Amino acid sequence: MKNFTYYQPTSLSGVLKVLDEAAGKAEILAGGTDLLDRMKEYISQPEKVVSLVGFSGPFKEISSIAGHPPTVTIGAGVKLVNIAESELLRPYPALTSAAAQIAGPQIRNMGTLGGSLCQRNRCWYFRDEHVQCLLKGGRRCFAHDGENQYHAIFTQGHPCVIVHPSTLAPPLMVLGATCDIRSHKAQRQIPIEQLFQAPVKDGQREHTLAPNELLVSVTIAPKIPPGATLRNASYEVKQKETSDWPIVQASVAYYTEAGGQVAKGVRIALGHVAPTPLLSPAAAKVLEGQEVNEKTASAAAEAAVEGARPLSQNAYKVQQLKVAVRRAILLASGAKPYWEG
Ligand SMILES: Cc1cc2nc3c(=O)[nH]c(=O)nc-3n(C[C@H](O)[C@H](O)[C@H](O)COP(=O)(O)OP(=O)(O)OC[C@H]3O[C@@H](n4cnc5c(N)ncnc54)[C@H](O)[C@@H]3O)c2cc1C
């Protein structure tokens, strides 16, 4: 491991002062479950490691303002286990169920919201120190013609075909979350979908934060008419029951008016199928204004895979994505999960 300087500021502003404007020089150490692996594998070699362990406060707390539904702010330093088990986040099962399924108890007790959203991709070419792929200054993406069974299926226009690894991103996107971002000099708020980008070269990350910016918190405040009910859910297709990322994921949110079953304000997001988590306006449009049942859920699932261009080894993910979208919609509606027998 390359030598680095360790910083342990005792305040958020102390963290912001130490961050560097040049890409790759400083890394934030939250739970360390992604960063330390990368450093030990020579994938990331920062000169400064800036720990977030030295202070407490809203950065590590979940707070709520009463409302229908409530506005909930989650500090970026909140542990995944606390998101999974939060009473304040109960109206948002799309998010809590996704947090509860991440890895295993050890990772959920160390990993944080900020770390999940800002973790780097899991492409095995990127993660191999001997492979100089596009994201490490090389000239080609080896997954395009190589071992690509877990890579993107929405590949058009993407020179690098990673999938975004965060399973908290799709639920936060359908819940219309916003991010509070700060640097030493400035503060800004963005819709969470603007936090992500498809990296194509060395120095670019899977997120749009500048090297000297910190994600401070994420706020969920869905707007629905008085008396309406917010419905939301996520579904992951997995190879293993635990300790792995899913193969595909879908998150869904919509509301129904009092006494009605018609889906309105539909948002559907897809995970692990593209270099960024992906909102699917096409799938949302098919479900909008419809009563939710197996037929309309299946129609939305068909629309969700429009435009998919799988690679040589991952066409199977197209069918799995349809399953994930259909099941997420049905779960959100409160239907009994027929697939559980
Ligand atoms: C076996 C296994 C299975 C997993 N399965 C899943 C899964 O299904 N879904 C999923 O989402 N994740 C999964 N993960 C990843 C896990 O969620 C992340 O490792 C964890 O969330 C990272 O959080 P951390 O606090 O440890 O981040 P760290 O390792 O400390 O940081 C990760 C990166 O984020 C940056 N960062 C951290 N906080 C901030 C911030 N506030 N602002 C800006 N940048 C920041 C750091 O600089 C670093 O580059 C899995 C991990 C393992 C090991």
Side-chain angles (χ1 to χ4, degrees):
M1 192 188 282
K2 195 180 120 184
N3 283 349
F4 57 86
T5 309
Y6 177 75
Y7 294 83
Q8 194 176 301
T10 51
S11 66
L12 197 61
S13 61
V15 171
L16 299 177
K17 274 187 207 146
V18 185
L19 293 180
D20 209 292
E21 284 183 23
K25 284 203 167 178
E27 284 278 357
I28 292 157
L29 177 67
T33 59
D34 174 40
L35 178 63
L36 296 184
D37 271 5
R38 275 193 273 126
M39 290 173 66
K40 286 190 261 183
E41 290 161 2
Y42 300 98
I43 307 304
S44 299
Q45 303 196 22
E47 292 168 19
K48 301 177 184 179
V49 171
V50 188
S51 170
L52 302 177
V53 83
F55 60 94
S56 52
F59 184 77
K60 297 181 182 174
E61 292 166 3
I62 303 178
S63 60
S64 175
I65 300 172
H68 178 73
T71 296
V72 184
T73 296
I74 314 168
V78 170
K79 304 272 185 207
L80 301 172
V81 66
N82 294 329
I83 296 175
E85 295 175 0
S86 170
E87 281 298 319
L88 299 178
L89 285 167
R90 216 153 250 207
Y92 305 115
L95 179 64
T96 53
S97 70
Q101 290 183 69
I102 291 178
Q106 292 94 337
I107 298 289
R108 291 197 293 273
N109 275 284
M110 287 301 292
T112 60
L113 172 65
S116 169
L117 295 174
C118 298
Q119 64 181 299
R120 296 230 60 182
N121 73 83
R122 306 302 304 187
C123 172
W124 36 43
Y125 296 108
F126 173 75
R127 292 262 166 180
D128 185 332
E129 64 170 298
H130 304 293
V131 177
Q132 208 184 2
C133 74
L134 273 185
L135 302 190
K136 293 188 289 181
R139 290 174 171 213
R140 56 183 283 227
C141 168
F142 292 90
H144 258 288
D145 304 314
E147 295 293 330
N148 52 35
Q149 53 266 49
Y150 301 121
H151 287 74
I153 54 172
F154 290 93
T155 51
Q156 273 196 318
H158 291 304
C160 158
V161 289
I162 57 164
V163 291
H164 195 281
S166 178
T167 48
L168 299 188
L172 287 168
M173 279 165 64
V174 297
L175 293 169
T178 52
C179 298
D180 182 20
I181 295 164
R182 285 184 215 173
S183 69
H184 183 37
K185 295 179 189 147
Q187 178 171 8
R188 63 190 176 105
Q189 274 86 31
I190 55 168
I192 195 158
E193 45 271 35
Q194 291 176 17
L195 182 65
F196 307 109
Q197 67 175 359
V200 292
K201 60 181 181 187
D202 194 16
Q204 282 188 340
R205 300 285 290 249
E206 294 79 356
H207 61 67
T208 55
L209 298 178
N212 64 345
E213 283 184 321
L214 183 76
L215 174 66
V216 174
S217 63
V218 174
T219 296
I220 305 171
K223 292 190 179 21
I224 62 171
T229 303
L230 179 74
R231 300 179 183 275
N232 63 101
S234 295
Y235 188 88
E236 296 175 16
V237 177
K238 298 170 147 197
Q239 208 162 25
K240 293 192 257 168
E241 282 295 310
T242 180
S243 299
D244 207 354
W245 287 258
I247 294 174
V248 299
Q249 177 197 18
S251 295
V252 174
Y254 62 89
Y255 67 83
T256 48
E257 307 271 13
Q261 286 302 318
V262 171
K264 293 188 176 166
V266 181
R267 284 168 75 89
I268 296 177
L270 317 175
H272 284 257
V273 290
T276 61
L278 219 54
L279 277 174
S280 176
K285 194 172 163 195
V286 168
L287 197 64
E288 184 72 35
Q290 302 294 322
E291 268 196 27
V292 176
N293 52 42
E294 284 196 27
K295 195 167 161 223
T296 53
S298 296
E302 288 294 333
V305 301
E306 275 170 21
R309 298 278 181 279
L311 299 162
S312 56
Q313 299 177 359
N314 68 5
Y316 74 100
K317 286 179 74 167
V318 174
Q319 175 59 22
Q320 293 198 338
L321 181 60
K322 287 191 219 171
V323 170
V325 171
R326 186 171 63 237
R327 292 185 181 183
I329 293 170
L330 293 173
L331 277 177
S333 77
K336 189 170 175 293
Y338 64 84
W339 52 93
E340 284 177 6

